[in-house]
């Protein structure tokens, strides 16, 4: 990672550890990345790679009772978020940065109409009347393709795709500069996913919002992101532009991820799975966390800290083979 | 060679207080032994109901199910029990389809025990053989589901399904709860088992890249109806139904240099409760006309390629 910090969003050495049943869960272990205005970064990785924890740490909505330790720095437009008092963070949340949650079925309040839920965020951040806020809510619903006539309906009256649109409308209601989308289409069918992705891309362009797209779907990354950070065991193990990652995947894990994917364009009879399982975050291996599954692992991989090496330009890779240019 | 499974005009309706849900409506297809048929469609299209009805987890409303040349639509009692040995299912969610209070060997041994064919050491041997077959380490013989990851749990589900030496297995979204790297392991296992044991699969999924990889032929369903069926390669190179075209173009592609032209269909799936006659996709179809409100027929438009769309020839210039 270059020392140049983005003026917009800069995350440095983010660490989040939880405690669970007397053990320390090392969810995020030193994550750094930058994001420019209007850009989209994809955080890619499998279950338990720490993607959602990174998002929650940025929003400062980590569950207080289970967090053991956090450190690192997150600056948004020059303002350090990690040390901000909670009441100031509340001012930013929803306005400067907001989040689309993964599961639209559980992210909405079942006993409030959708317009009320959107208006709530609007009133919290803007000095407007109830009816003005409701008008804004209707405007947002129209923007995400839901007729304003349905503003007075409750979440259960909407389908999954429409609920996800409501969640998106809510996240965008106060024109945030940074939008964190946590698997926004995972719960949706492909034709609805296509609609939602198209809408997100349109809105991003219209409002020049910066976005962190969290997903495990490399296809979604290909369609929405400018840069990609591949996460594994709470670290970014490879980072680069979309072209870097898709054309020249370098880390053995990234390569494995692409190979494991059934490819629409080729008819190989067998897939190449990555052997083994992601490591237990309460008991991470020494050295490279991927080394127990890596076909190239040597003794050097199993000790010490693996540095982040530059492959070319902004493309970096946390693998000692990248340093030796064996890849 | 006669097909292993033939389904003719199969219907499954569920009466509800708001009307009758037409979950599976007039579905016809046949499946050869040793082959895999993929069933794709979006949530609520009836693909899981179709699988469950075929293996008699629930009675069908109308139509015929012919297995190995025998009409098994209404089998009961001992005949049904025997049929169950031939037809098995692997469920979607390995987190909820295994009994949390049964260990691996309990889970796999249960059908063996019920069959009355295995006792004592033979039972244990057979159980260990099945574990080995599906790639579960023998140290997990006494392990419980919560001690295992999703991939291993799904292997237990597959081992249990294989216990009675079935010929036909419905795989109901068997990998959709798994991560990509684990998903590949389970797909490879299913394909190896098919090669070694000559199994016939009906593979129900919403993931089109998975279905392309594993299936020989594909059925595309929309709101309980079969809209298109043909060989896998044919579907992916030459889909003829407007819904199949939209569905296939909606898959996010990992090819960043050749973005495909996407057909984004408007609106959402309509209600399957007391649907009107005619094409159910018509409300979202860019080609819909008056004629689409009449009942549609599954037609062999090209050899082995069946489509249920009255405008199909015209749209595709055939």
């Amino acid at each position: 990672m270059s020392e140049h910090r983005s003026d917009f969003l800069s995350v440095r050495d983010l660490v989040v550890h939880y405690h669970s049943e007397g053990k320390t869960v090392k969810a995020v272990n030193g994550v750094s990345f930058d994001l420019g205005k209007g850009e989209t970064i994809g955080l890619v990785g499998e279950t338990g790679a720490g993607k959602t924890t990174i998002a929650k740490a940025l929003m400062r909505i980590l569950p207080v009772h289970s967090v053991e330790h956090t450190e690192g720095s997150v600056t948004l437009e020059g303002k350090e978020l990690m040390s901000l008092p909670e009441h100031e963070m509340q001012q930013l949340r929803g306005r400067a940065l907001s989040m689309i949650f993964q599961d639209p079925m559980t992210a909405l309040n079942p006993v409030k109409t959708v317009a009320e839920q959107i208006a709530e965020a609007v009133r919290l951040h803007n000095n407007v009347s109830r009816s003005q806020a409701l008008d804004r809510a209707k405007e947002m619903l129209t923007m995400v393709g839901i007729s304003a006539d349905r503003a007075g309906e409750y979440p259960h009256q909407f389908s999954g795709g429409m609920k996800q649109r409501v969640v998106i409308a809510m996240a965008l209601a106060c024109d945030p500069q940074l939008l964190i989308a946590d698997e926004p289409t995972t719960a949706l069918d492909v034709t609805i996913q296509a609609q939602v992705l198209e809408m997100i891309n349109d809105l991003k362009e219209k409002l020049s919002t910066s976005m962190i797209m969290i997903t495990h779907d490399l296809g979604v990354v290909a369609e929405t992101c400018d840069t990609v950070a591949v996460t594994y065991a709470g670290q970014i193990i490879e980072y680069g532009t979309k072209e870097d990652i898709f054309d020249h995947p370098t880390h053995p894990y990234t390569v494995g991820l692409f190979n494991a994917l059934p490819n629409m364009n080729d008819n190989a009879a067998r897939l190449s799975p990555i052997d083994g399982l992601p490591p237990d975050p309460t008991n991470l291996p020494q050295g490279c966390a991927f080394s127990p599954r890596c076909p190239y692992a040597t003794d050097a991989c199993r000790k010490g800290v693996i540095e982040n090496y530059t492959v070319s330009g902004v493309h970096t890779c946390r693998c000692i083979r990248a340093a030796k240019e064996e890849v | 060679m006669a097909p292993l499974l033939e389904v003719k005009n199969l219907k499954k309706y569920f009466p509800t207080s708001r009307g009758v849900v037409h979950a599976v409506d007039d579905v016809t297809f046949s499946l050869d032994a040793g082959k895999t048929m993929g069933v794709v469609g979006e949530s609520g299209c009836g693909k899981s109901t179709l699988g469950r009805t075929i293996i008699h987890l629930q009675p069908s409303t109308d139509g015929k199910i012919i297995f190995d040349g025998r009409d098994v639509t209404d089998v009961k009692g001992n005949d049904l029990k025997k049929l169950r040995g031939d037809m098995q299912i692997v469920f979607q969610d390995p987190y909820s389809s295994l009994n949390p209070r049964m260990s691996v060997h309990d889970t796999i041994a249960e059908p063996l025990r019920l069959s009355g064919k295995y006792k004592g050491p033979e039972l244990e041997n057979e159980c260990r053989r099945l574990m080995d077959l599906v790639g579960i380490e023998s140290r997990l013989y006494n392990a419980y589901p919560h001690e295992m990851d999703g991939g291993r749990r799904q292997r237990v589900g597959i081992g249990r399904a294989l216990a009675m030496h079935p010929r036909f297995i419905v795989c109901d979204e068997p990998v959709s709860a798994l991560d990509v790297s684990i998903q590949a392991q389970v797909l490879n296992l299913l394909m190896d088992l098919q090669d070694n044991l000559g199994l016939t699969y009906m593979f129900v999924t919403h993931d089109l890249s998975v279905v392309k990889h594993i299936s020989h032929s594909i059925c595309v369903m929309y709101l309980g109806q079969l809209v298109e069926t043909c060989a896998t390669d044919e579907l992916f190179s030459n889909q003829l139904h407007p819904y199949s075209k939209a569905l296939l173009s909606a898959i996010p592609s990992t090819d960043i240099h050749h973005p495909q032209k996407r057909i984004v269909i408007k609106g959402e799936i309509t209600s399957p409760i007391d649907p009107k006659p005619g094409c159910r996709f018509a409300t979202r179809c860019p080609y819909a006309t008056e004629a689409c409100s009449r009942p549609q027929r599954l037609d062999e438009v090209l050899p082995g390629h069946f489509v249920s769309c009255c405008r199909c020839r015209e749209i595709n210039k055939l």
Side-chain angles (χ1 to χ4, degrees), chain B residues 242-284:
Chain B
Y243 176 64
S244 312
K245 288 177 196 280
L247 186 68
L248 263 62
S249 84
I251 313 164
S253 161
T254 51
D255 185 348
I256 57 170
H257 299 292
H258 304 94
Q260 55 181 336
K261 204 163 156 7
R262 168 159 302 159
I263 308 162
V264 176
I265 42 174
K266 299 233 162 28
E268 314 235 343
I269 206 157
T270 46
S271 165
I273 296 174
D274 296 326
K276 294 191 185 70
C279 175
R280 291 182 190 167
F281 183 60
T283 52
R284 303 170 76 187

Side-chain angles (χ1 to χ4, degrees), chain A residues 234-266:
Chain A
Q235 285 189 321
I236 293 177
I237 51 104
E238 186 164 2
Y239 170 87
T241 63
K242 182 167 74 183
E243 289 73 21
D244 289 336
I245 303 295
F246 280 76
D247 293 343
H248 309 286
T250 302
H251 196 285
Y253 175 67
T254 316
V255 175
L257 215 50
F258 277 103
N259 288 343
L261 219 55
N263 192 330
M264 297 299 286
N265 306 320
D266 97 62

Side-chain angles (χ1 to χ4, degrees), chain B residues 7-44:
Chain B
V7 170
K8 287 183 181 164
N9 307 101
L10 192 68
K11 289 183 184 153
K12 178 64 192 174
Y13 293 172
F14 295 102
T16 69
S17 56
R18 289 162 60 203
V20 179
V21 175
H22 294 221
V24 174
D25 213 350
D26 209 7
V27 169
T28 299
F29 67 86
S30 68
L31 177 56
D32 289 340
K35 300 286 186 205
T36 300
M37 189 184 74
V39 180
V40 297
E42 298 178 278
S43 39

